[in-house]
Amino acid sequence: MNTSIPHRELGSSTAHRQGAVLRWALGGTVTLLASYLIGLELQRRGWATYQFPQTVLWCLVPYAVTAHWLYSGAYLPQFEGRSFLAVATAVPYLVTPLGFALLQQPYSRGAVLLSYLLSTAWFLAGHRRQRRLHALRLACLDASVPSRVRELLGAPAGAGLRHIELRPWTEFAASAPVARPGDDAPWAGVVLDTRTPPDEARERQICALRLQHVRLYSVETVAELLSGRKMLPAASVHDLWALDGNPAYDSVKRLLDAALVIATLPLWLPLCLLVGLGVKLDSPGPMLFSQMRIGRNGRPFRLWKLRSMRAAVPGAESARFASVDDERVTRLGRFIRRMRLDELPQLWNVLRGDMSLIGPRPEQAQFVEAFAARIPAYPYRHLVRPGLTGWAQVQQGYAGTEEETSVKLSYDLYYLEHYSLSLDLLIAYKTVRIVLTGFGAR
């Protein structure tokens, strides 16, 4: 039986995307050269000062940062491509004037703007080219692969299948493959269903593929690439001990959290007091609400929020999830929950080090104990500090059932495996967009 397929060089889908980004970024230096030549011409005509071309040269720094972030974020699911591109290009160029101010270096705002626009256009063209030429195209060794992928993705995430092409293995096994018209993207490899019972003929096929250096993917890996979720194992979770923290980035992130909270103190503290006054006038009860939550390494801490529900009688009811149109939510509470204003006091928790600006949301101790007993991988979300917002919040929204909590955990574990400055910036961008729409509020 012929077991060859037209595959590209051995390497993961992420590695190939990183290679494409690197090549495109190196080619993109022509945009800076174009900006520099434009600056020289404007200076010659007297329409710009000498600072214009000099500033363009300095813009090599934000361009390099953009290229690095796009390279390091190549693992992100395809549906986040444009959002991440917007963040990775905008943030470095927005911070550039601050760098000039700190260095007390004169610069041209027009040059920064021109460099940003040309760089963004270049990387956007590269993103579209990459989606066309480097789509995830896989052959299925097992007939159950497509249904298993859909099962793992679930109904809402099933749209992720549009970013992948799956073809039955029989198309390759029957005869030597012939490229179809329009086939300009190489095949990324072969997908296996790990639940398929072992078979001698199947094992020979797998061995032959390995000898050909064909990349092999599990169904779970493909689902993760498409959904941005870490697929939970059915029984054993021992391999999840491989998930670990990032001490270097944890330290940097802690400094950034503290600096941002202190720098924005004149903005959020008066707003917090103003909303708190509205809470007092809207309904009887205290302005603030506190609750014990579980933080990093399983340590409990007291979380603070502006009260958005009717003041409860102590001991009147046990902890429970908020529901859609929850009768406990006050009139003003519905608005501040939608705009996330009730979370403002948690900036104090961030300053204390109990929380981070970005990370898995902290849960009540009763919920943690219950979920850990039924979802074995649940405690691993405590490897990092909990956050005001997180990957699960911007992808899923509020989780109010055990099934939704399992999906939420898969997003949290994905964050644990990949968390970095570039991913945190993407989460921050999506959080701002979500606050404006009220997605996930209850």
Side-chain angles (χ1 to χ4, degrees):
M1 178 180 290
N2 190 327
T3 56
S4 63
I5 68 169
H7 62 281
R8 59 193 182 194
E9 295 177 359
L10 182 65
S12 68
S13 151
T14 298
H16 285 288
R17 288 169 64 184
Q18 286 178 327
V21 169
L22 181 59
R23 290 188 295 271
W24 194 257
L26 290 174
T29 53
V30 298
T31 64
L32 293 175
L33 177 61
S35 300
Y36 183 71
L37 294 176
I38 291 173
L40 290 178
E41 180 63 21
L42 292 176
Q43 181 184 355
R44 188 184 69 81
R45 293 174 178 268
W47 295 347
T49 67
Y50 72 95
Q51 296 171 357
F52 196 106
Q54 285 187 358
T55 302
V56 170
L57 294 179
W58 277 104
C59 284
L60 274 168
V61 175
Y63 181 88
V65 173
T66 295
H68 172 71
W69 282 351
L70 291 174
Y71 177 89
S72 62
Y75 62 86
L76 289 168
Q78 288 276 8
F79 63 82
E80 290 293 3
R82 289 189 179 181
S83 294
F84 184 59
L85 178 70
V87 173
T89 53
V91 173
Y93 284 95
L94 286 173
V95 175
T96 297
L98 178 61
F100 282 115
L102 292 175
L103 295 173
Q104 297 184 344
Q105 176 77 22
Y107 73 100
S108 168
R109 288 190 294 269
V112 174
L113 179 61
L114 177 63
S115 299
Y116 164 70
L117 292 175
L118 289 178
S119 299
T120 301
W122 177 262
F123 282 117
L124 182 59
H127 170 70
R128 290 176 176 172
R129 181 178 182 274
Q130 180 185 350
R131 290 189 64 174
R132 180 173 58 87
L133 297 182
H134 298 273
L136 190 57
R137 308 175 71 197
L138 298 165
C140 307
L141 183 65
D142 304 303
S144 58
V145 165
S147 60
R148 282 278 291 134
V149 171
R150 291 189 182 89
E151 177 188 343
L152 290 172
L153 291 178
L161 289 171
R162 69 176 180 270
H163 298 297
I164 186 175
E165 181 180 348
L166 294 172
R167 282 173 61 187
W169 170 256
T170 52
E171 295 186 28
F172 298 107
S175 59
V178 178
R180 296 174 299 171
D183 273 1
D184 49 4
W187 289 87
V190 176
V191 191
L192 314 177
D193 185 353
T194 53
R195 292 185 179 181
T196 301
D199 174 81
E200 185 177 348
R202 182 174 179 272
E203 291 303 317
R204 284 200 302 269
Q205 288 178 334
I206 294 174
C207 182
L209 289 168
R210 284 176 176 154
L211 288 174
Q212 292 181 57
H213 301 95
V214 174
R215 187 79 181 189
L216 301 179
Y217 293 86
S218 68
V219 173
E220 291 78 11
T221 300
V222 172
E224 180 179 334
L225 287 170
L226 295 175
S227 66
R229 294 163 45 201
K230 185 78 175 175
M231 297 299 129
L232 302 182
S236 172
V237 294
H238 301 299
D239 59 336
L240 285 182
W241 279 113
L243 287 177
D244 207 349
N246 184 341
Y249 182 60
D250 286 337
S251 300
V252 172
K253 189 176 181 181
R254 176 72 191 116
L255 291 175
L256 289 174
D257 285 339
L260 287 172
V261 171
I262 293 172
T264 57
L265 184 67
L267 297 176
W268 65 264
L269 185 57
L271 179 60
C272 185
L273 294 174
L274 182 63
V275 177
L277 178 61
V279 169
K280 290 287 291 182
L281 296 175
D282 181 61
S283 62
M287 179 176 72
L288 294 174
F289 167 78
S290 69
Q291 200 172 55
M292 296 303 295
R293 299 288 178 100
I294 303 300
R296 188 183 185 186
N297 297 322
R299 295 193 185 99
F301 71 95
R302 185 168 294 278
L303 176 141
W304 294 93
K305 301 178 73 172
L306 289 168
R307 182 176 58 83
S308 59
M309 295 185 177
R310 298 195 309 270
V313 179
E317 59 180 43
S318 58
R320 66 184 176 99
F321 285 114
S323 58
V324 179
D325 298 326
D326 197 308
E327 72 280 357
R328 297 173 296 169
V329 179
T330 64
R331 291 173 300 175
L332 180 62
R334 200 167 302 282
F335 172 76
I336 65 174
R337 288 169 76 92
R338 178 183 179 276
M339 302 302 295
R340 304 304 199 274
L341 296 175
D342 60 323
E343 314 282 1
L344 284 173
Q346 290 169 42
L347 292 171
W348 170 248
N349 290 115
V350 174
L351 199 57
R352 281 172 47 89
D354 300 325
M355 296 176 62
S356 174
L357 291 174
I358 296 173
R361 285 294 295 166
E363 291 289 1
Q364 300 177 51
Q366 301 97 310
F367 292 151
V368 170
E369 293 173 4
F371 289 136
R374 296 192 290 269
I375 309 173
Y378 193 83
Y380 292 96
R381 66 196 303 273
H382 299 138
L383 285 170
V384 296
R385 285 186 179 87
L388 270 74
T389 184
W391 185 242
Q393 279 63 47
V394 299
Q395 296 295 340
Q396 180 192 22
Y398 187 86
T401 65
E402 185 174 329
E403 182 181 358
E404 291 175 347
T405 301
S406 295
V407 175
K408 176 182 175 181
L409 174 61
S410 66
Y411 283 117
D412 288 336
L413 294 181
Y414 181 90
Y415 176 80
L416 285 171
E417 186 171 6
H418 298 290
Y419 75 103
S420 61
L421 179 59
S422 53
L423 181 56
D424 283 348
L425 286 172
L426 175 61
I427 293 171
Y429 164 75
K430 291 178 72 69
T431 298
V432 172
R433 194 171 65 181
I434 285 169
V435 165
L436 299 178
T437 63
F439 171 75
R442 292 192 182 181

